[in-house]
Amino acid sequence: MKPNIPSMLNPFSALQYPKSKLLILALLTLNAGIYAVVDTLTSTIDAVTWLILLVIYELETNSNSLPLSEAMLHRIRTGLIAVIVGVFFSYLRGSEWLDVCNSLLWFALIAVMELEVRRPDIVMRHASLCWLLTLAIFAGLIAMAGIWLWQQAWLDAYDAVLWITAFGLIEVDIFHFLQRKQPAV
C-alpha cells in the first residue's frame, strides 16, 4: 500500500499523466543524456533547455495548482528562451545551417505557443491562421528530420522525430489540433 502524500506537499499529485507523455519525457531526458555524452556542450544545453521549457508548458496547460506563480513561470520561460537564442547564435557562428534552420522553425513554434499563453484573445480572433501557421511549422520540422535522415545524421534525426512527437503529443495535442479550429463567432 502506497503512502498518501498530501497534495500540499506534492504539488504534482493532481497531474494525471498518460503513459505516453511519461514515455516521451523519459526519452527526452535520455536524449539530453546522450547529447551530454556524445555531442557538444552547446547541443547538451540546447536539449536540456528545451526539455525544461516543454515541462513548464505542460505544467501551465495541465495543472490548476502550480508550485510557482504565473509571473515566475513567465520569467523562467523567458530566461529559457534567452538561452535557446544564445544556442542559436552559437549555431549561426559555427555555420551549422541545418541547426540554424531547425532553430528558426522551433522559434516560430514557440512564438505561436507564447502567443497562445500570453494573448489568447488574438489567437481566438485568428484561430484559422494560427492553425495553418502551426501546421506549416510542423511540416518544416518534419522536413528537417527527413534531411537529417537523408544525410545519415542519426542522432539529429532521432532528436528531431522525438521532439516533433513530444510537442505534437504533449503541447499541441496533435489529435485535437488536426481537427481544424474554427474562429469564435
Side-chain angles (χ1 to χ4, degrees), residues 127-160:
S128 292
L129 178 61
C130 288
W131 180 81
L132 289 172
L133 183 59
T134 305
L135 193 61
I137 293 166
F138 270 101
L141 291 168
I142 291 167
M144 291 300 306
I147 291 168
W148 275 312
L149 280 173
W150 178 66
Q151 291 189 340
Q152 298 179 352
W154 307 118
L155 183 57
D156 290 327
Y158 162 76
D159 179 67

Side-chain angles (χ1 to χ4, degrees), residues 97-129:
W97 300 116
L98 287 178
D99 289 318
V100 167
C101 291
N102 188 56
S103 293
L104 289 172
L105 287 165
W106 283 105
F107 289 160
L109 183 62
I110 291 300
V112 170
M113 291 174 68
E114 283 293 313
L115 193 62
E116 288 175 355
V117 169
R118 296 180 192 237
R119 296 298 308 271
D121 55 318
I122 292 173
V123 173
M124 292 305 293
R125 280 196 309 267
H126 305 287
S128 292
L129 178 61

Side-chain angles (χ1 to χ4, degrees), residues 29-97:
T29 303
L30 176 64
N31 186 53
I34 291 169
Y35 272 103
V37 172
V38 302
D39 212 12
T40 64
L41 179 61
T42 302
S43 294
T44 303
I45 291 169
D46 196 22
V48 169
T49 305
W50 278 103
L51 177 60
I52 295 167
L53 188 63
L54 180 69
V55 169
I56 287 174
Y57 277 121
E58 178 65 6
L59 286 173
E60 282 185 318
T61 57
N62 292 309
S63 178
N64 294 329
S65 58
L66 294 174
L68 300 171
S69 70
E70 188 175 321
M72 178 58 81
L73 286 172
H74 283 303
R75 285 193 291 276
I76 293 170
R77 265 198 341 267
T78 300
L80 292 169
I81 290 168
V83 170
I84 291 167
V85 169
V87 168
F88 167 76
F89 282 111
S90 174
Y91 291 147
L92 194 58
R93 275 191 309 276
S95 299
E96 300 173 48
W97 300 116

